[in-house]
Every structure is written in structure tokens, then in C-alpha cells.
Amino acid sequence: MNIPSSIATFWDGFCAEAGEDRSDRFFEAFHFDDNERDANALADLVFGGAKRATASLVWTFEQAGGSLPRPGALSVVTYWNGRPACVIETLAIEILPFEQVSAEFAAIEGEGDGSLEYWRRVHWSYFGRECARVGREPSKAMPIACERFSVIYRAKA
């Protein structure tokens, strides 16, 4: 996949530090969430190491005609404005119905108080907006891609 020009300099720095071109493992550059405040807060949680997982609505990937990341995939997490924060490596992906996402997963996602109750509340709201955008109805059985990742490179201050 081609590296977007908006992150090319950052990606080149990452590859130089890694000692090899890893562009064959590039998956995407993205920001979290659908609003600036939350996107920036979540990027900071990843950058700082508190957020080590993310949940995505599978229907969003299907509607876009794309695939889910696979273990070993490399993605650039950005802030809302496109400024790169870090490179993450996908460690594992598990597809689960919304209602089966575990408290352990909610905790490593690192948001709010880390509880499953908090996770369900904020993700139900977010996935509801995503469902509306892709023409689906939210349900407790909607498929969620639960991705675990590690930060392997951080932007320099």
C-alpha cells in the first residue's frame, strides 16, 4: 500500500529508526472517533501507553470495501488534524458480538474508568452513529472487531 504523503516524512523516520523499509506492512493512517476532542484524547492515550486496544464496527469496514488489519499490520495513529502520533502494530483481532466484549478487553482499551460499563455506554453511542452512517441498525449482536496492538514508534517531541 502507498504511504499517504501527509505522513511520509514521519513514516520515513520510523523506517530509518527500524533499520528497514516496512512499507509492505503498512495498513492505514487514521484518527480515532468521529470528533476532534475525542480523537485527540484517544491518540494521547495510545501515545502514553494507556490504550493498547481498540474496537471497530465490522460493518464500517464492509461498507468501505476494506479488510480488517491482520496481526503484524502497521498503522499510523494521528490526531484529528492528521499530525502523526505513533505507529502501532496489530497483535490480534477477534470478532465478537457487541454484548460479548469482555471486561478485560474494556480495561486494556484504556478509556474512561476502564470498566465494561463505561465501555458499553460510550461504544454503544459511537457505534450507533457509525451504524446510522453505514445504513445499519445497532444491536447487541452487531459484530465488533476487537484489536489489540502495541506502540512501536512514537513521534519525536
Side-chain angles (χ1 to χ4, degrees), residues 11-26:
W11 185 263
D12 289 346
F14 159 64
C15 290
E17 188 169 294
E20 65 181 334
D21 183 7
R22 295 189 176 173
S23 298
D24 61 323
R25 292 174 51 198
F26 178 78

Side-chain angles (χ1 to χ4, degrees), residues 23 33 51 72 81 83 95-96 104 113 115 138 140-141 147:
S23 298
D33 221 312
K51 181 172 178 60
N81 65 6
R83 181 173 53 92
I95 309 298
L96 295 170
E104 185 262 341
D113 65 5
S115 71
K140 291 182 179 180
E147 176 184 359

Side-chain angles (χ1 to χ4, degrees), residues 115-133:
S115 71
L116 182 58
E117 294 75 23
Y118 177 90
W119 186 93
R120 285 185 174 156
R121 186 175 68 252
V122 300
H123 285 81
W124 183 263
S125 176
Y126 172 72
F127 292 143
R129 295 189 305 273
E130 279 293 288
C131 282
R133 194 176 65 73

